[in-house]
Amino acid sequence: RTFYIGVIVAIIVSMLPGIFLYRSIYLRQKKFQDQLVDVLVLIRGAVQAGFSLLQALDVVVKEMPNPAQEEFGRLQREVQLGIPFSQSLENLAERMESDDLNMVVTAIIINSQVGGNLSQMLTAVTETIRNRVALFGEVRALTSYARYTSYLLSFMPFITALIVVLLSPGYFSSVGDSPITRMLFILAFAGILIGNIWMRQLAKIKI
């Protein structure tokens, strides 16, 4: 019995660092995405006031909280070290993995190559992103049922087991006596975990 418990604990512990790291990266990228419209408004205002694009980014670094402040500060340091501005923008987009930021970066690079009114371009991109954010909010509301269902189905076996234990404390007393039963419990736990991840991926909409 101790061996199988150890296997389960080892599997869970080995997965936790990756889960926490993925979660931290996801939350940071999401927070940056939430700041993107405000960043574009600041840049557009600075450009309209006569600042260059690099000077406008300096305004972002001074006015915006993290992670936008840190990421655009890193972009400035890359440019100061001699990395081309377009490459620094692409590096930022790659780190944040945001479709909206990719659109902004592409628009800025094209504008720098062919010319045009940067302020009008930023205005158009900002409005497009606002519309995308509103659409994404509607999609999340429509898929909320599927997300909550995944949580319910994942916790239901544990809730059922708890109720059974409360009603009949000795019901699971002989579970650990059979290797087959212990293996079935391990497979059931793994199935619940995989099913939860699969259902959440099905309900995850990216626009």
Side-chain angles (χ1 to χ4, degrees):
R1 181 184 300 181
T2 305
F3 171 76
Y4 289 101
I5 294 176
V7 170
I8 295 175
V9 173
I11 293 173
I12 295 174
V13 171
S14 65
M15 293 175 61
L16 286 179
I19 293 174
F20 286 138
L21 177 61
Y22 174 82
R23 183 67 176 172
S24 298
I25 293 174
Y26 171 77
L27 290 177
R28 193 171 189 275
Q29 291 174 342
K30 185 177 183 302
K31 188 174 182 181
F32 182 90
Q33 175 68 28
D34 294 338
Q35 294 175 324
L36 186 56
V37 171
D38 293 334
V39 167
L40 291 175
V41 170
L42 272 178
I43 294 176
R44 182 184 62 186
V47 170
Q48 289 176 340
F51 288 82
S52 67
L53 185 55
L54 283 175
Q55 291 173 330
L57 294 180
D58 187 58
V59 174
V60 173
V61 173
K62 292 178 180 178
E63 298 294 334
M64 293 295 298
N66 285 327
Q69 181 186 64
E70 181 178 343
E71 288 298 331
F72 282 99
R74 183 174 178 178
L75 184 150
Q76 285 184 320
R77 289 192 295 272
E78 288 182 357
V79 173
Q80 291 169 359
L81 290 172
I83 299 177
F85 181 60
S86 59
Q87 182 61 51
S88 298
L89 285 173
E90 291 175 355
N91 293 340
L92 172 61
E94 183 178 352
R95 289 194 301 272
M96 292 297 101
E97 297 181 358
S98 167
D99 291 338
D100 291 338
L101 182 59
N102 284 331
M103 180 170 58
V104 173
V105 169
T106 301
I108 290 176
I109 292 176
I110 292 175
N111 181 268
S112 65
Q113 292 174 347
V114 304
N117 192 313
L118 180 59
S119 176
Q120 291 182 357
M121 182 273 295
L122 290 173
T123 299
V125 172
T126 302
E127 289 302 316
T128 300
I129 293 176
R130 279 178 176 157
N131 293 333
R132 282 169 56 86
V133 169
L135 177 60
F136 184 68
E138 293 180 6
V139 172
R140 281 188 60 84
L142 293 173
T143 58
S144 60
Y145 175 78
R147 292 197 306 274
Y148 291 128
T149 300
S150 69
Y151 296 136
L152 177 62
L153 293 178
S154 298
F155 286 110
M156 184 61 71
F158 300 102
I159 296 173
T160 304
L162 178 61
I163 294 173
V164 170
V165 169
L166 293 176
L167 296 177
S168 179
Y171 187 83
F172 293 106
S173 59
S174 61
V175 169
D177 297 336
S178 171
I180 297 178
T181 307
R182 292 195 294 266
M183 183 59 67
L184 288 176
F185 266 80
I186 294 175
L187 293 176
F189 178 79
I192 292 172
L193 181 62
I194 294 173
N196 177 267
I197 296 173
W198 181 56
M199 290 191 67
R200 291 179 63 183
Q201 288 299 318
L202 288 177
K204 186 177 181 181
I205 306 298
K206 187 174 182 180
I207 59 174

